Amino acid sequence: MKEKNKSLNMPVLVIGILIFLALATAIQQIPQSVQGIITQIEVIVATIIVITNKKIGIITAMVLFAYVIFGAALSLQAGNKMGIVAILTSVVTIIILNLIYFFLHKNEQQHAQLLKQYEEMMDSNRLMQEKDEALQTLAYQDEMTDMHNFVYFREQIENAIRQNTDFALIYMDLDNFKAVNDKFGPEVGDEALKIYASRLKAYCGTKYLCARTSGDDFALLLSGTPAQAEILHLVEQLRKVLGEPVSAQGVSNITTTASYGIVVSPRDGKDTDTLLDNAIFAVYNAKANGKDRPCFFSQI
């Protein structure tokens, strides 16, 4: 950007020098009554050179007025008393131009400092925002499966209750999954959980809120008041999603089922803890009655 500004000011610098030199040469050949006007034009040209070219401009202006002073000195030696006026005018103009440059330079420094502080502030805000987002991800995301975690799921339930929004909750607990860990090892179990989680996320998409709530437990949140038939249809689809065999860490044909506890708000509870407790209670009831099945808390 600075390179571009310098190149744009170069024509002003060159044209200003040519005009100034032409005026300085012509002033010796015109009547004294007009010389004052020519001197004022020289001052204006030099000021423009300084304003548009900053450091290069002030150096150029000082050289140009040094040339004027030199010519005036020669004129003074030749007996032209107007030479002293030209010298004094040039000296005063040089002082004024240096003051102009000083304030321009100081203003430019202040502007650069403010710009730097602004950029630092923006960088700081960006870093803080990135840290906040990272912390929020850690707080709301299950590290192993990249699903929403229990904290996030619970918060969404509380938000729905606060907004008087009806919803249904399906709590899922994989059946006998501990046997997978015991038989094949925790690495195989973790890999299998990741696959199940990936399948659930793909199936739920943006339609249902899905979360991993604990070790081998998952939960879904359904907005509105779905009919029992609709919930049972969804459970059947979940059974198909989880029923496909899994291959993990070289172990193939790992299969599992899940038990489903279902609660509907506000019928089965008016606060978060009650709804979750009732959903888990319904899961235990489903397991006690043969596993791999749904259980509505309202029907216990």
Side-chain angles (χ1 to χ4, degrees):
M1 183 63 72
K2 290 182 178 179
E3 294 291 333
K4 185 177 180 181
N5 288 339
K6 286 181 179 180
S7 65
L8 286 175
N9 291 334
M10 190 58 66
V12 177
L13 180 65
V14 173
I15 293 172
I17 292 172
L18 293 176
I19 293 174
F20 191 97
L21 292 175
L23 293 172
T25 303
I27 199 171
Q28 304 294 332
Q29 304 170 3
I30 60 176
Q32 291 184 358
S33 59
V34 186
Q35 288 181 3
I37 298 174
I38 299 299
T39 301
Q40 291 177 14
I41 296 175
E42 287 177 342
V43 171
I44 293 172
V45 171
T47 303
I48 293 173
I49 290 174
V50 172
I51 292 174
T52 55
N53 289 275
K54 307 298 189 300
K55 186 175 182 179
I56 296 176
I58 189 63
I59 294 172
T60 303
M62 291 176 67
V63 171
L64 291 174
F65 276 104
Y67 171 75
V68 172
I69 291 172
F70 178 75
L74 292 178
S75 177
L76 187 62
Q77 286 182 350
N80 186 356
K81 294 182 179 181
M82 289 300 296
I84 189 66
V85 176
I87 292 173
L88 290 175
T89 301
S90 297
V91 170
V92 171
T93 303
I94 289 174
I95 294 172
I96 293 172
L97 290 176
N98 273 278
L99 289 173
I100 292 173
Y101 170 72
F102 171 77
F103 286 112
L104 285 173
H105 183 63
K106 187 175 181 180
N107 181 67
E108 196 174 56
Q109 286 182 323
Q110 290 176 340
H111 176 74
Q113 186 176 5
L114 287 173
L115 182 60
K116 182 180 179 182
Q117 291 175 348
Y118 172 76
E119 290 175 347
E120 289 175 349
M121 181 182 69
M122 293 300 293
D123 288 340
S124 177
N125 289 340
R126 178 179 55 79
L127 290 173
M128 289 178 63
Q129 184 177 359
E130 289 176 354
K131 288 180 180 179
D132 287 342
E133 290 174 353
L135 288 173
Q136 188 175 35
T137 298
L138 290 174
Y140 288 154
Q141 185 170 305
D142 180 64
E143 185 176 358
M144 187 176 76
T145 63
D146 288 334
M147 295 183 77
H148 295 306
N149 60 14
F150 179 74
V151 174
Y152 182 82
F153 190 77
R154 180 187 178 89
E155 188 172 295
Q156 299 311 303
I157 295 174
E158 291 174 347
N159 289 340
I161 293 173
R162 192 179 304 114
Q163 296 169 9
N164 294 318
T165 302
D166 295 339
F167 60 89
L169 189 158
I170 302 176
Y171 202 95
M172 299 176 285
D173 184 5
L174 299 184
D175 297 323
N176 301 321
F177 195 77
K178 183 177 181 299
V180 176
N181 286 322
D182 293 341
K183 184 176 181 180
F184 302 112
E187 293 82 6
V188 174
D190 288 348
E191 184 66 25
L193 278 176
K194 290 179 183 178
I195 295 172
Y196 289 132
S198 178
R199 290 178 181 177
L200 286 172
K201 284 195 299 182
Y203 176 76
C204 293
T206 58
K207 187 175 182 180
Y208 307 114
L209 172 62
C210 183
R212 181 190 180 207
T213 53
S214 64
D216 56 4
D217 292 358
F218 301 91
L220 268 70
L221 202 63
L222 292 70
S223 298
T225 52
Q228 179 172 317
E230 182 181 348
I231 296 175
L232 290 174
H233 175 74
L234 175 58
V235 169
E236 189 60 32
Q237 297 305 309
L238 293 173
R239 291 180 68 192
K240 292 178 181 178
V241 169
L242 296 175
E244 289 291 329
V246 168
S247 296
Q249 299 288 324
V251 179
S252 58
N253 293 322
I254 299 172
T255 58
T256 190
T257 58
S259 296
Y260 306 85
I262 303 160
V263 293
V264 177
S265 171
R267 182 189 67 194
D268 298 324
K270 298 185 184 301
D271 61 83
T272 303
D273 289 333
T274 301
L275 286 166
L276 287 170
D277 289 344
N278 291 343
I280 293 172
F281 184 77
V283 168
Y284 290 152
N285 188 272
K287 287 183 178 293
N289 285 279
K291 304 178 182 178
D292 187 24
R293 66 190 62 216
C295 176
F296 286 86
F297 176 77
S298 61
Q299 296 177 359
I300 297 175

